[in-house]
Amino acid sequence: MSASSSAIESVLVENRVFPPPAAFAQAARISGMPAYTALCAEAEADYEGFWARLAREHLDWSRPFSQTLDGSNAPFYQWFADGELNASANCLDRHMGTPVEHKTAIVFEADDGSVTRVSYRELLERVSQFANALKAQGVQKGDRVLIYMPMTIEGVVAMQACARLGATHSVVFGGFSAKAVQERIVDVGAVAVITANYQMRGGKELPLKAIVDEAIAMGGCESIKNVFVYERTASPYAKEAGRDVPFSELLAGQSTDCPPVPVNAEHPLFVLYTSGSTGKPKGVQHSTGGYMLWARQTMRWSFDVQDSDVFWCTADIGWITGHTYVAYGPLAAGATQIVFEGVPTYPNAGRFWQMIERHKCTIFYTAPTAIRSLIKASEADAAVHPNASDLSSLRILGSVGEPINPEAWMWYYKHVGQERCPIVDTFWQTENGGHMITPLPGATPLVPGSCTLPLPGITAAIVDEAGHDLPNGAGGMLVVKRPWPSMIRNIWGDPERFKKSYFPEELGGKTYLAGDGAVRSEDRGYFRITGRIDDVLNVSGHRMGTMEIESALVAKTDLVAEAAVVGRPDDLTGEAICAFVVLKRPVPTGDEAKAIAKELRDWVAKEIGPIAKPKDIRFGENLPKTRSGKIMRRLLRSLAKGETITQDTSTLENPAILDQLANTN
């Protein structure tokens, strides 16, 4: 395939630009574009020296490193490999004897609205006590521990305690099924599970321990010696004698002093599973040194975190965002953060805005899916609209998890940020460890829907299938040309899959393939993510990213609340565009549905061009989402093809809507 025919056509043009407010820029850690350019030039001039400087400045080492990057066994790169440190010590111990010691580390708001505050000193004591308890049960450096917990202080404590001992944790999101838990226990060879009897979400008690029991009963989990149970609620649960230990018993008599265990910089801090496009989930393995450096550094750069900030990342600790921007980054930066147990719509859809007001949150970081669903709720009920809460404490907004469409960006900017808060639209992946491409709030002029420019030291580029650089304006594959400290080190137990997935031979075996399509704008060279490479449609020889068509549909703000676009085989055009649409009104039927579908097709033709008109449009009350809010595009692809759904739908929030979405208009 020639370079030109494999380029992804970019059809979305965005001309709105929002420079950082002058006063904000002046006070920021990276102030104005010249400061950003200077850091990029430093990295360019002496790549290893740049990373070594940051690692010495931002981490406490128990044994300093003398070697920065070892690429002798590429793509299995090593960073700071002869250095030793401890991740938990870099989050907690480093603040003792400083003003941060008695500062609030976590403001925890439970599902029912009750609030608990923990200082850095108290958090260190709780982590140390928990680490001693694990040690007493035989958990040691190099062991793997599976964590299946609600979004509570105890979840963060469990992760930090593992890190303190040099045990590698693998957190599983509390909405995953028993099968998912069993697969991960088996793959990682966990010696223990840390879980809770129940979790509280939206006023409901949901079981966790029962799911762990079911997972272990599936077999293959012989490595498990103990299950440690946080009794979140008073409700009874099944206990297996000799294996299950409640926290009250586990912690009894344990000291609150536990020296951190130094580990090699390359020691695996955690393994976090991400779904592969095919086959079993991939255990993404992250190091301790490189990962911790980037967790702290991006808190300072991307979020410009200051001593007075109250930071809130709404992600669950079961996802990479909850690892880097809940469990590690904010603590390494000495910030105060909010941890929230519940869901954004309980007791009403204004919960996020009410919590920002209640806790005087200054930096708010959430996902486009959450923003879009709250747009819909707030347009239906003024009482839950952001305007009904005092959001004057906010100074920075962030977006994470998927590209944000320009109209949702504008709503977020206008109604939540009141047109004064920069939005950092962060592009990164589980495999990256932290932000890769993102605006800097005090430097980068913002363009809605664009993640703008790579962070200093990140050599992002756009190439065709042969690895040739593409000019600005031509879409292609997003790659990173040089290794960076927080990158994935391996797929746990599967080095061949690691190489094949991320460093394909076609690109020379040393270039990181992100798996996303992207385009750089002709005027500013800004990056915009166009969707997964496997979500690229080829309609009559035109390659189009699904994200662009979704953005066009959502831009019809009087009608459309949310849209997801997939491809299906078509005899005439090779691939046909199939759009699943949630309207801001009840689901239409019959002639009315046909009329609205025609209106939407004409709109897309006007916004992008006739080639992008969806062949099928299907309406539903909602889209099939996992409990974390990710749209299950795989299911949509099956529906579009008219296949019978055979795959597991147990992780879906709302399985009933599949029947709705099967009707074509």
Side-chain angles (χ1 to χ4, degrees):
M1 195 182 269
S2 72
S4 57
S5 67
S6 68
I8 300 167
E9 292 177 32
S10 174
V11 282
L12 199 73
V13 179
E14 180 58 70
N15 297 317
R16 293 170 289 196
V17 181
F18 300 86
F24 189 106
Q26 215 171 348
R29 286 184 187 277
I30 297 184
S31 175
M33 284 306 277
Y36 163 77
T37 315
L39 281 164
C40 293
E42 181 193 350
E44 183 64 32
D46 178 6
Y47 193 68
E48 287 191 30
F50 169 79
W51 289 112
R53 172 177 76 79
L54 294 180
R56 289 190 181 105
E57 276 175 23
H58 293 294
L59 293 177
D60 286 357
W61 295 87
S62 42
R63 189 170 92 204
F65 61 90
S66 63
Q67 184 182 27
T68 305
L69 170 63
D70 176 1
S72 59
N73 186 24
F76 299 95
Y77 295 101
Q78 294 201 326
W79 285 89
F80 323 119
D82 58 352
E84 287 186 357
L85 72 171
N86 181 278
S88 174
N90 271 282
C91 292
L92 301 169
D93 306 55
R94 70 173 307 157
H95 303 305
M96 297 305 115
T98 77
V100 175
E101 179 174 349
H102 301 293
K103 180 178 175 178
T104 301
I106 294 175
V107 177
F108 171 65
E109 180 161 320
D111 186 62
D112 65 4
S114 57
V115 174
T116 313
R117 288 182 167 79
V118 184
S119 73
Y120 271 87
R121 159 63 59 193
E122 290 162 337
L123 189 60
L124 173 61
E125 286 173 358
R126 285 180 63 166
V127 167
S128 297
Q129 188 180 33
F130 200 92
N132 281 329
L134 291 177
K135 200 169 17 177
Q137 297 288 335
V139 174
Q140 55 189 11
K141 177 175 167 178
D143 284 343
R144 277 84 57 206
V145 175
L146 190 108
I147 298 176
Y148 187 58
M149 285 286 275
M151 257 315 272
T152 53
I153 296 172
E154 285 74 15
V156 175
V157 166
M159 293 166 77
Q160 283 279 344
C162 289
R164 201 163 188 83
L165 297 177
T168 301
H169 58 68
S170 187
V171 185
V172 181
F173 170 61
F176 277 172
S177 63
K179 182 79 187 115
V181 173
Q182 184 257 0
E183 281 177 348
R184 287 157 175 74
I185 290 174
V186 172
D187 194 68
V188 83
V191 299
V193 177
I194 303 172
T195 187
N197 60 343
Y198 292 91
Q199 60 176 338
M200 296 301 301
R201 280 175 77 84
K204 294 189 192 69
E205 216 178 59
L206 302 169
L208 286 175
K209 168 66 166 54
I211 295 171
V212 170
D213 291 344
E214 189 188 333
I216 294 174
M218 289 175 175
C221 301
E222 290 74 23
S223 58
I224 296 287
K225 297 186 186 71
N226 290 108
V227 176
F228 306 122
V229 187
Y230 166 49
E231 291 173 330
R232 169 67 184 89
T233 69
S235 302
Y237 61 99
K239 298 186 184 70
E240 186 174 308
R243 185 193 76 184
D244 298 352
V245 187
F247 275 24
S248 51
E249 198 180 303
L250 180 71
L251 296 168
Q254 294 296 342
S255 158
T256 55
D257 180 39
C258 173
V261 174
V263 298
N264 180 277
E266 281 297 317
H267 179 79
L269 177 61
F270 61 87
V271 175
L272 183 57
Y273 285 81
T274 179
S275 48
S277 41
T278 54
K280 68 171 192 171
K282 298 184 285 207
V284 171
Q285 180 182 321
H286 274 289
S287 74
T288 301
Y291 172 81
M292 285 303 302
L293 165 63
W294 207 224
R296 186 165 192 263
Q297 189 64 63
T298 49
M299 283 295 300
R300 292 167 68 85
W301 281 352
S302 315
F303 296 122
D304 187 49
V305 74
Q306 308 287 344
D307 291 343
S308 55
D309 276 315
V310 176
F311 175 82
W312 182 15
C313 165
T314 66
D316 191 280
I317 53 172
W319 308 109
I320 187 69
T321 306
H323 280 52
T324 310
Y325 300 108
V326 177
Y328 290 108
L331 298 174
T336 296
Q337 66 167 322
I338 299 165
V339 171
F340 173 47
E341 179 178 34
V343 294
T345 50
Y346 175 81
N348 60 60
R351 180 81 182 257
F352 275 3
W353 323 130
Q354 293 148 16
M355 281 179 64
I356 290 171
E357 175 176 349
R358 192 157 44 249
H359 302 301
K360 302 283 179 276
C361 170
T362 60
I363 305 173
F364 179 65
Y365 191 37
T366 195
T369 296
I371 297 164
R372 289 193 296 263
S373 65
L374 295 173
I375 294 177
K376 191 179 180 185
S378 65
E379 288 186 354
D381 176 6
V384 301
H385 195 284
N387 297 351
S389 298
D390 175 4
L391 305 182
S392 59
S393 59
L394 286 171
R395 64 183 201 94
I396 294 175
L397 299 174
S399 166
V400 60
E402 56 192 302
I404 182 167
N405 44 294
E407 290 318 311
W409 191 103
M410 286 303 304
W411 184 89
Y412 194 29
Y413 184 74
K414 191 169 166 188
H415 295 289
V416 181
Q418 297 161 341
E419 301 188 23
R420 55 181 176 77
C421 300
I423 297 178
V424 287
D425 172 5
T426 61
F427 167 82
W428 60 298
Q429 304 164 305
T430 304
E431 295 86 351
N432 305 151
H435 302 153
M436 299 294 280
I437 307 176
T438 177
L440 295 169
T444 320
L446 305 173
V447 170
S450 166
C451 51
T452 67
L453 294 167
L455 283 170
I458 303 298
T459 53
I462 295 172
V463 300
D464 62 17
E465 271 100 338
H468 301 129
D469 283 287
L470 288 168
N472 288 358
M477 301 187 302
L478 179 64
V479 297
V480 184
K481 291 189 168 181
R482 298 183 79 166
W484 68 99
S486 68
M487 66 194 289
I488 176 175
R489 293 304 195 261
N490 207 342
I491 291 173
W492 184 265
D494 200 342
E496 281 311 306
R497 190 177 182 193
F498 166 75
K499 287 195 289 197
K500 212 158 58 232
S501 301
Y502 302 114
F503 294 92
E505 276 306 320
E506 305 84 81
L507 298 177
K510 290 183 181 181
T511 298
Y512 172 82
L513 177 67
D516 280 293
V519 63
R520 297 189 77 165
S521 61
E522 290 191 45
D523 53 350
R524 296 173 179 270
Y526 278 8
F527 285 78
R528 184 165 51 76
I529 307 299
T530 51
R532 297 290 299 167
I533 296 174
D534 45 17
D535 287 334
V536 171
L537 308 180
N538 193 331
V539 180
S540 305
H542 296 265
R543 291 176 54 146
M544 281 176 286
T546 52
M547 175 64 201
E548 304 208 16
I549 305 165
E550 290 169 9
S551 284
L553 284 161
V554 176
K556 185 128 179 66
T557 51
D558 58 326
L559 262 181
V560 177
E562 201 168 7
V565 169
V566 298
R568 64 164 176 80
D570 184 87
D571 291 344
L572 184 65
T573 53
E575 220 170 358
I577 299 169
C578 179
F580 296 86
V581 177
V582 179
L583 296 173
K584 291 180 173 174
R585 42 147 292 165
V587 173
T589 53
D591 287 345
E592 188 184 22
K594 285 190 173 56
I596 295 176
K598 180 177 179 326
E599 187 179 350
L600 292 179
R601 282 191 188 96
D602 294 345
W603 170 265
V604 172
K606 182 171 94 37
E607 285 284 294
I608 296 178
I611 189 72
K613 269 189 355 191
K615 192 158 189 180
D616 307 344
I617 293 186
R618 305 179 182 200
F619 299 112
E621 284 161 32
N622 213 317
L623 295 172
K625 290 175 187 167
T626 62
R627 291 192 184 98
S628 71
K630 264 216 171 19
I631 298 168
M632 292 197 64
R633 292 172 193 275
R634 228 165 16 131
L635 279 178
L636 292 177
R637 283 196 276 270
S638 296
L639 282 172
K641 289 176 192 162
E643 297 168 351
T644 312
I645 304 287
T646 54
Q647 61 215 64
D648 178 22
T649 55
S650 67
T651 58
L652 274 189
E653 187 82 74
N654 44 2
I657 57 155
L658 295 178
D659 295 337
Q660 261 182 16
L661 296 168
N663 301 315
T664 302
N665 299 289

